[in-house]
């Protein structure tokens, strides 16, 4: 009898302890969830940034990366964090950038696994983050890397007419996204450290794109141009790739607005570049959906399987808003950007129970050539997989939100 009584007492104690620690664990989990929750009553830019900090504690984890890499996508998203830090002076945004960069460089001022001989123009894009980091910290490693990336441009292979190859493995080819990867960095460097000696060369890169990558019929841009016309995807008359890609238009417009940020107004090519931006802005406005968004294959909205795509739409919205804010474009583009941004939220944004902002159905990375060979047809772009929270979609939304909140 006594044994049974003691057993019951012990059992009750165990149950009480289990309940106590169970409730404590639940409370801790709830507190953790609340701590990581994103408030609904703050601006979209900070909601997006806080979501990214929660989902990807290290910036190299963006886009589902499994190990650190020096990558243009990280550079694109973190450029938004840089602008947000400048706006809010909140150190967590600066630290997120610094942690990424510091994890990618060694004590002697080298980028881990960087090989200049690849002549990959994508590598320049994260380099933009180093200008402000150096100004803030005076860490000589950042200046060292800025110089090394500038050296890459000094010897970057060029087409016969002077355009930068996209990579060593893509001879004679200019890709439209290469203008974004290189020119804002190149412009900032030459103005800051070279008294603007390379401004004509920078303008030339855009002039080559305008004359060879812009479609004469629509005024929109193809993804790439092979000056030799030898690669299988190239049109035998023009050398262009087959598809007018929505995100490609976004890259071109963002390249222009971010280059103009540093390009002196007194330089004769300033008006030329601003003119290119006004042309593409006017033309792309003719190809938006009824709700004000843009398509994966930008010039064929009616094509079977075509769809409005968030990274393209977000980049164009950002370029419209920034262009209007800076006076590169008419103020009416800011109104257009606001309407399109509202449609973006309805079409692509899902806020979960934690308040985190998810951007849905972002096109995966697409390219040309390589092995297996990517032929660049409309069908190739339309069958590329989509995924939620692709880094370019997150970055485009963040940048657009920042500009629209000004």
């Amino acid at each position: 009898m006594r044994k049974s009584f003691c057993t019951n007492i012990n059992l009750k104690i165990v149950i009480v302890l289990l309940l106590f620690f169970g409730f404590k664990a639940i409370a801790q989990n709830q507190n953790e969830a609340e701590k990581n929750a994103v408030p609904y009553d703050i601006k979209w830019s900070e909601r997006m940034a806080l979501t990214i900090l929660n989902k990807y504690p290290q910036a190299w984890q963006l886009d589902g990366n499994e190990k650190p890499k020096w990558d243009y996508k990280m550079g694109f998203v973190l450029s938004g964090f840089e602008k947000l830090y400048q706006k809010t002076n909140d150190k967590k945004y600066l630290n997120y950038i610094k942690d990424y960069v510091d994890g990618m460089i060694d004590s002697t001022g080298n980028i881990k696994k960087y090989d200049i001989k690849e002549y990959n123009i994508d590598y320049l894009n994260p380099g933009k983050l180093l200008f402000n980091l150096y100004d803030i910290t005076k860490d000589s490693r950042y200046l060292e890397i800025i110089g090394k990336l500038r050296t890459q441009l000094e010897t970057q292979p060029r087409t016969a007419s002077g355009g930068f190859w996209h990579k060593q493995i893509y001879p004679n080819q200019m890709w439209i996204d290469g203008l974004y990867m290189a020119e804002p960095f190149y412009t900032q460097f030459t103005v800051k450290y070279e008294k603007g000696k390379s401004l004509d060369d920078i303008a030339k890169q855009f002039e080559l794109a305008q004359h060879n990558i812009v479609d004469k019929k629509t005024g929109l841009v193809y993804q790439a141009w092979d000056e030799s016309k030898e690669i299988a995807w190239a049109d035998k008359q023009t050398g262009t790739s087959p598809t007018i890609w929505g995100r490609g238009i976004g890259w071109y417009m963002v390249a222009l607005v971010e280059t103009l940020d540093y390009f002196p107004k007194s330089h004769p090519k300033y008006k030329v570049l601003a003119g290119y931006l006004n042309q593409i802005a006017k033309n792309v406005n003719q190809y938006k959906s009824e709700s004000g968004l843009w398509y994966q294959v930008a010039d064929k909205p009616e094509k079977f399987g075509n769809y409005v795509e968030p990274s393209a739409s977000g980049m164009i919205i950002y370029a419209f808003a920034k262009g209007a804010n800076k006076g590169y474009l008419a103020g009416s583009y800011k109104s257009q950007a606001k309407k399109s941004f509202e449609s973006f939220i309805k079409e692509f944004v899902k806020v979960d129970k934690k308040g985190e902002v998810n951007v849905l159905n972002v096109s995966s990375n697409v390219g040309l050539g390589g092995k297996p060979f990517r032929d660049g047809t409309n069908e190739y772009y339309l069958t590329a997989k989509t995924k939620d929270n692709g880094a370019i979609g997150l970055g485009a939304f963040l940048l657009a939100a920042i500009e629209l909140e000004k």
Side-chain angles (χ1 to χ4, degrees), residues 174-179 208-226 233-235 238-253 280 296-300 366 368 375-378 381:
M174 288 187 75
W175 290 24
I176 200 67
D177 39 318
L179 290 166
L208 287 168
Q210 191 74 15
H211 296 146
N212 298 288
I213 306 182
V214 172
D215 176 51
K216 302 299 186 284
K217 181 181 175 184
T218 63
L220 306 178
V221 291
Y222 293 98
Q223 183 171 1
W225 167 60
D226 175 11
W233 52 252
D235 183 284
T238 65
T240 58
S241 56
T243 297
I244 294 175
W245 174 42
R247 191 189 292 167
I249 297 167
W251 285 129
Y252 187 51
M253 295 181 72
I280 191 78
Q296 172 79 336
V297 176
D299 63 324
K300 298 183 176 69
V366 293
L368 295 160
D375 61 8
T377 59
N378 291 181
Y381 288 84

Side-chain angles (χ1 to χ4, degrees), residues 190-240:
T190 198
V191 169
K192 195 175 179 74
Y193 298 118
E194 300 178 327
K195 297 182 179 177
K197 75 171 190 178
S198 298
L199 290 169
D200 285 336
D201 188 38
I202 291 160
K204 184 175 187 175
Q205 304 304 311
F206 286 102
E207 288 167 351
L208 287 168
Q210 191 74 15
H211 296 146
N212 298 288
I213 306 182
V214 172
D215 176 51
K216 302 299 186 284
K217 181 181 175 184
T218 63
L220 306 178
V221 291
Y222 293 98
Q223 183 171 1
W225 167 60
D226 175 11
E227 187 166 358
S228 71
K229 305 181 180 70
E230 292 177 356
I231 193 77
W233 52 252
D235 183 284
K236 297 309 173 189
Q237 272 68 51
T238 65
T240 58

Side-chain angles (χ1 to χ4, degrees), residues 72 117-122 156-160 163-178 223-233 365-375 380:
Y72 74 91
K117 293 176 185 175
E118 292 180 21
Y119 287 108
N120 184 344
I121 213 160
D122 292 343
Q156 185 86 8
R158 295 178 182 245
T159 69
F164 291 129
W165 291 11
H166 195 66
K167 296 180 185 179
Q168 179 71 43
I169 58 172
Y170 300 137
N172 305 306
Q173 298 171 29
M174 288 187 75
W175 290 24
I176 200 67
D177 39 318
Q223 183 171 1
W225 167 60
D226 175 11
E227 187 166 358
S228 71
K229 305 181 180 70
E230 292 177 356
I231 193 77
W233 52 252
N365 301 329
V366 293
L368 295 160
K371 294 179 182 178
F373 189 81
R374 296 165 294 180
D375 61 8
Y380 163 71

